[in-house]
Amino acid sequence: MVKYINSRQSGPQAYRLGVKAAVLGSVALLGGTLAFHELGFSRQADTAQAAEPAAPPDGFANIVAKVRPAVLSVRVIIDETRETASTDEGKSPAVSPGSASSGEHEVILGEGSGFFISADGYAVTNNHVVNHAEAVVVATGDGKSYKAKVVGTDSKTDLALIKVDGHDFPYVRFADRQPRVGDWVIAIGNPYGLGGTVTSGIVSAEGRDINANPYDNFIQIDAPINRGNSGGPAFDTDGNVIGVNTAIFTPSEGSVGIGFDIPAATVKAVVAQLKDKGYVTRGWLGIHDEPIVADIAAALDLSKARGVLVDDVEPTGPAIKAGVKPGDAITAVNGAPIDDPLDLAQKIGEMAPGTTVSLSIHRDGEAKDLNIKLGTMPVDRQPQVTAPTESRVGTPNKQDLGFVLAPANQTAGTRKPGVMVVAVDPNGQAAERGLQAGDIILEVGGKTVSNPDDVHTTLASLRNSGKAAALVRIKSGDAIRFVALPLTNI
């Protein structure tokens, strides 16, 4: 079973929607903007797009009859040794009772869903359905099977494009508009190997972020989808694809009416690049950032808690070349306001490498614009946060912020610049802001610090100047971020 990595510690979990069956048992896996050519139904008359959505039909039989021939069961042969050895997807498959294993080497049959998007055999499915596949076979509703090749995959959106040799396949078109919350939705797929299964419901929400990747922007639906629905389409009442089923929230691995679809607009853009070159390129700034929350906004003298705070810049990335610095607040891209890091990642990721963008930033109380030529996003730029080091005895803090400090370069086991947090009062203000023993304070109020006195003196100076909070730049493991420490109690 594969979970999305998220910050939730209890309650329902998100699962990808693929199903794998090995002999008697199963392995449960739940699981640049270019325009793709217009898609349609090759064997059906086109339905005129109305200005307003049509009234709900008495039933969905006519729509299902029209679109179901384009929906596929996707079957893959996977070398389990290769899959479990790979960690690029964060997978941890779990074999249920009865699964067959031959020790170090196991070949399993996996099943998911997909759908034709062109008459010449191009089809969409999920990346996690075909990832590491030795062979891919698709089955249509009329009982025919075809070998398919993987044209390209994109792990960041969990999409894959596959190709079947042939012509005159029934295919479906993508919706031209984003569905509204409350619109009808019809899901068709291959749950638990039951090909051609149809369920219905409504669009429950939009713009969902489930902490799967920097590009989360899911449509939430309540049409029941289960393991094996991965990669299958969700349709509107015109028979157009509004999204690709990819994940569910569930406490039991079965549907509880909370499913997530990759929006059609995202699918079209990704598929266009996969068809053209087999992979996806995205614009890249080369920064590490965090959301601007209320206390950080106050420390920066910003009127609104909106935008992103630059924690660090890549030493060879586009941002540092354009003059972006840690501590800058990015508030807009090409004049469009930025809400948070997800919003920034999506806006930049949709642009082609080489595009020049204007970033509106706030630095030292002043607003300015910087022009940046975007680079190409590297394959993996996710920082890994390691566990903090063991707490050590240090000099008690002179100020009531709830931490004990020591020079990092004099602390046993380190030769690092900055000031190490060697102990944290679990009930203190530092702990409330997320500081932990082992964190290293690099800057306070934009000034480099090298010993506890530097920290105390700078905090006192900021308080005396009328500041309500101090922006503190810290290093936690390999990650760098800012926290805003209140100055009212020092």
Side-chain angles (χ1 to χ4, degrees):
M1 183 185 308
V2 177
K3 298 180 181 179
Y4 277 127
I5 298 173
N6 61 66
S7 59
R8 299 170 179 82
Q9 299 301 315
S10 62
Q13 300 294 310
Y15 294 95
R16 296 193 188 265
L17 294 165
V19 171
K20 292 184 178 179
V23 189
L24 300 177
S26 65
V27 176
L29 290 182
L30 288 184
T33 309
L34 300 175
F36 192 62
H37 63 79
E38 190 177 41
L39 304 171
F41 301 102
S42 65
R43 294 179 179 173
Q44 302 289 340
D46 288 342
T47 301
Q49 296 287 339
E52 293 294 331
D58 293 333
F60 301 112
N62 290 338
I63 299 170
V64 171
K66 182 179 182 180
V67 301
R68 188 160 59 173
V71 181
L72 306 168
S73 296
V74 180
R75 300 164 182 168
V76 298
I77 297 175
I78 298 175
D79 184 331
E80 181 69 3
T81 304
R82 287 181 55 191
E83 181 181 282
T84 56
S86 175
T87 59
D88 60 344
E89 293 294 319
K91 295 183 176 180
S92 54
V95 182
S96 61
S99 294
S101 174
S102 58
E104 296 182 357
H105 182 79
E106 181 181 6
V107 176
I108 60 177
L109 177 67
E111 290 190 322
S113 303
F115 55 99
F116 282 123
I117 59 171
S118 65
D120 57 352
Y122 283 98
V124 170
T125 186
N126 279 148
N127 170 66
H128 74 261
V129 172
V130 298
N131 195 29
H132 305 305
E134 300 289 337
V136 180
V137 176
V138 301
T140 56
D142 59 6
K144 296 180 180 179
S145 295
Y146 305 87
K147 290 183 179 180
K149 67 176 181 179
V150 178
V151 177
T153 62
D154 181 46
S155 62
K156 288 183 171 60
T157 55
D158 194 25
L159 289 168
L161 181 66
I162 59 178
K163 176 71 166 65
V164 174
D165 289 335
H167 57 86
D168 200 27
F169 291 108
Y171 64 100
V172 289
R173 80 168 69 226
F174 289 111
D176 293 326
R177 65 175 182 87
Q178 181 83 359
R180 303 173 304 169
V181 174
D183 279 351
W184 286 104
V185 61
I186 306 157
I188 305 179
N190 184 40
Y192 301 104
L194 301 172
T197 295
V198 180
T199 58
S200 67
I202 62 169
V203 174
S204 303
E206 58 186 7
R208 287 299 197 205
D209 176 10
I210 60 175
N211 298 320
N213 61 64
Y215 304 101
D216 280 8
N217 185 29
F218 293 108
I219 300 168
Q220 183 182 328
I221 66 173
D222 73 350
I225 53 177
N226 288 283
R227 293 177 293 172
N229 273 111
S230 269
F235 296 97
D236 61 20
T237 53
D238 291 322
N240 298 321
V241 177
I242 65 157
V244 175
N245 303 318
T246 192
I248 60 175
F249 270 155
T250 176
S252 62
E253 302 181 31
S255 174
V256 293
I258 304 177
F260 300 99
D261 280 14
I262 306 164
T266 299
V267 182
K268 286 191 287 186
V270 170
V271 163
Q273 292 203 52
L274 294 180
K275 184 179 181 184
D276 181 49
K277 55 196 175 190
Y279 58 92
V280 176
T281 56
R282 294 179 171 87
W284 181 57
L285 284 174
I287 64 171
H288 301 277
D289 54 21
E290 64 180 282
I292 295 178
V293 294
D295 53 359
I296 289 179
L300 292 171
D301 294 325
L302 291 172
S303 59
K304 295 181 179 180
R306 186 180 188 184
V308 304
L309 181 64
V310 178
D311 294 327
D312 199 12
V313 289
E314 295 284 345
T316 59
I320 196 170
K321 295 176 182 177
V324 177
K325 299 179 180 180
D328 287 347
I330 300 176
T331 57
V333 174
N334 291 336
I338 293 297
D339 293 325
D340 49 38
L342 178 62
D343 187 25
L344 177 63
Q346 290 175 347
K347 282 184 168 64
I348 296 299
E350 290 172 354
M351 300 179 188
T355 302
T356 298
V357 300
S358 174
L359 291 187
S360 299
I361 68 169
H362 183 92
R363 178 191 295 167
D364 298 330
E366 297 182 358
K368 61 172 59 180
D369 291 329
L370 296 177
N371 290 325
I372 298 180
K373 185 177 181 179
L374 299 180
T376 301
M377 178 177 290
V379 174
D380 185 10
R381 284 288 178 179
Q382 299 298 321
Q384 301 296 317
V385 180
T386 60
T389 59
E390 181 183 355
S391 298
R392 301 176 181 88
V393 177
T395 304
N397 187 20
K398 298 177 182 177
Q399 296 142 331
D400 188 19
L401 288 172
F403 51 37
V404 176
L405 304 176
N409 61 4
Q410 297 178 19
T411 305
T414 72
R415 289 293 183 268
K416 301 176 181 178
V419 180
M420 178 172 283
V421 179
V422 295
V424 176
D425 178 357
N427 299 314
Q429 297 186 52
E432 290 179 1
R433 269 73 181 172
L435 267 73
Q436 304 178 69
D439 287 348
I440 296 177
I441 299 174
L442 302 173
E443 297 175 2
V444 177
K447 295 182 178 180
T448 303
V449 293
S450 58
N451 58 67
D453 283 342
D454 290 345
V455 176
H456 305 321
T457 301
T458 306
L459 290 174
S461 176
L462 291 171
R463 178 203 58 193
N464 294 336
S465 69
K467 288 280 189 179
L471 206 59
V472 179
R473 188 169 181 239
I474 66 171
K475 183 178 178 67
S476 298
D478 292 331
I480 296 178
R481 61 190 177 96
F482 282 91
V483 298
L485 291 179
L487 300 175
T488 54
N489 293 333
I490 66 171

